[in-house]
Amino acid sequence: TPLYSSAASDVYKRQILTNLTIYTPIKTLLFLEKMFFILMKDYLLRLALELKILLPKATEIIRKLI
């Protein structure tokens, strides 16, 4: 059965290579897209928090100037 094993091994290796060639870029893009949205959400939440803190201070400074 060494000949069969070798042929089966070649087919298996070819399937792995095909799967990596096709699916890895798609999975990578999906992962990057997911990470982008996670980072954007985090950035926007931090920005909202900073605005929530800074807006009252800015309003107070403007009122003092008027």
Side-chain angles (χ1 to χ4, degrees), residues 17-40:
L17 184 60
T18 301
N19 287 342
L20 287 175
T21 304
I22 294 171
Y23 296 114
T24 299
I26 294 170
K27 286 182 180 179
T28 301
L29 286 174
L30 291 173
F31 172 77
L32 291 174
E33 180 184 42
K34 182 178 179 181
M35 291 308 299
F36 172 77
F37 284 112
I38 289 171
L39 291 173
M40 285 304 298

Side-chain angles (χ1 to χ4, degrees), residues 2 4 6 12-13 20-21 23 26 30 34 36 46-47 56 58-59 63 65:
Y4 173 77
S6 177
Y12 179 72
K13 288 176 188 173
L20 287 175
T21 304
Y23 296 114
I26 294 170
L30 291 173
K34 182 178 179 181
F36 172 77
R46 288 174 188 238
L47 182 62
T59 304
R63 284 186 182 152
L65 292 173

